[in-house]
Amino acid sequence: MQQARYIDAHCHIQNAADSSAAIADAVSRGVCGWVCNATCPDDWATVTELGRVCPSVRTCIGVHPWYITRAGDHWGPRMRQILASDIHIMVGEIGLDTHHPDMDAQMHAFGAQLDIAYEFRRGAHIHCVGAWNVILDTFHARALRHMPPAVVMHAYTGSANITDKLAGEYGAYFSFSPMVMDTRHRRMRDAVRHVPINRILVESDSDNPSVVPDVVAAVAEIRGIPPTDMANIIYDNTHRILR
Ligand SMILES: [Zn+2]
């Protein structure tokens, strides 16, 4: 039987002490692709270089809501320049997080980066903590014609109601992190039960992508689907957000 293949839909392998070793370790477990999210202009060059030397690494550049202040005000032109240089580069990690300060600045940067993702027709990888209704309002205000071609909600824990709106109105994808393996994480596990099967992705959300097959196994168990079948479904889902 063919070994299952996996793609890590949201990782930060730029933070690994030895990113080549982290990738090799994951390859030995069947992981064959990585969507590597930058978090601040400080790491854009590293993440872009990773994508250049390793074609299985897909680069995303963005300003994470935790690092808005560090990013300063002048990252927009450089972001545009990098996106213009390579059609495969996506936008991420961007988003909103009410556990962190500067919500006005977060909202401004989030909106600006959605604009850029739309302008360049690139997928956007989104972090959201405690701001689901604000995200929905933001999407609603943009209307569909101003949305990026794909939106991925990473480490997803939204309610059934939020899921229905994100999936139904905006075609969102939902990525589940290793937290899903912890049975105490009810919100994420409930979200796994509710999201459309053709929108499920999985991620390490770290510098250790070798954990991804374990995340798939947990999702498969929750959905009552054999792990290899679930792996194939998720693999195909992930390909739809890449190009
Ligand atoms: Zn992340």
Side-chain angles (χ1 to χ4, degrees), residues 10-12 37 39 64 93 127 154 205:
H10 183 109
C11 63
H12 298 285
N37 276 250
T39 54
H64 191 289
E93 175 170 0
H127 167 113
H154 111 86
D205 193 20

Side-chain angles (χ1 to χ4, degrees), residues 64-81:
H64 191 289
W66 297 354
Y67 304 118
I68 297 296
T69 311
R70 194 201 294 177
D73 296 325
H74 305 296
W75 44 264
R78 190 168 151 231
M79 177 179 261
R80 284 191 162 84
Q81 190 181 35

Side-chain angles (χ1 to χ4, degrees), residues 9-29:
H10 183 109
C11 63
H12 298 285
I13 40 180
Q14 72 271 32
N15 298 335
D18 182 343
S19 53
S20 303
I23 287 173
D25 198 24
V27 166
S28 73
R29 298 204 66 204

Side-chain angles (χ1 to χ4, degrees), residues 51-125:
R52 198 184 64 75
V53 299
C54 182
S56 311
V57 172
R58 295 296 300 274
T59 303
C60 307
I61 56 166
V63 180
H64 191 289
W66 297 354
Y67 304 118
I68 297 296
T69 311
R70 194 201 294 177
D73 296 325
H74 305 296
W75 44 264
R78 190 168 151 231
M79 177 179 261
R80 284 191 162 84
Q81 190 181 35
I82 294 171
L83 291 172
S85 74
D86 184 341
I87 197 168
H88 298 298
I89 297 178
M90 296 177 283
V91 173
E93 175 170 0
I94 66 174
L96 299 171
D97 192 325
T98 57
H99 294 187
H100 285 259
D102 302 318
M103 275 313 286
D104 285 349
Q106 287 189 37
M107 295 269 294
H108 180 75
F110 181 51
Q113 292 178 99
L114 286 175
D115 282 342
I116 292 173
Y118 170 72
E119 177 187 335
F120 284 86
R121 304 294 191 271
R122 307 297 164 86
H125 297 258

Side-chain angles (χ1 to χ4, degrees), residues 89-231:
I89 297 178
M90 296 177 283
V91 173
E93 175 170 0
I94 66 174
L96 299 171
D97 192 325
T98 57
H99 294 187
H100 285 259
D102 302 318
M103 275 313 286
D104 285 349
Q106 287 189 37
M107 295 269 294
H108 180 75
F110 181 51
Q113 292 178 99
L114 286 175
D115 282 342
I116 292 173
Y118 170 72
E119 177 187 335
F120 284 86
R121 304 294 191 271
R122 307 297 164 86
H125 297 258
I126 297 173
H127 167 113
C128 177
V129 173
W132 295 109
N133 286 320
V134 185
I135 293 257
L136 279 174
D137 288 348
T138 304
F139 285 1
H140 186 70
R142 307 184 69 81
L144 268 180
R145 63 197 172 86
H146 287 129
M147 287 293 288
V151 286
V152 175
M153 311 308 298
H154 111 86
Y156 184 66
T157 58
S159 68
N161 184 36
I162 299 287
T163 301
D164 290 344
K165 289 184 175 145
L166 287 170
E169 293 173 30
Y170 307 106
Y173 286 79
F174 305 92
S175 182
F176 298 102
S177 73
M179 284 195 304
V180 79
M181 299 188 287
D182 183 340
T183 53
R184 291 169 300 183
H185 252 290
R186 292 260 313 274
R187 276 192 306 181
M188 184 175 280
R189 292 172 68 88
D190 285 347
V192 169
R193 287 183 190 95
H194 194 76
V195 299
I197 189 130
N198 63 349
R199 305 284 174 74
I200 298 178
L201 310 178
V202 290
E203 63 181 60
S204 67
D205 193 20
S206 74
D207 58 6
N208 176 26
S210 68
V211 73
V212 162
D214 302 325
V215 180
V216 171
V219 169
E221 190 193 352
I222 294 167
R223 293 293 293 235
I225 293 174
T228 307
D229 294 351
M230 195 75 241

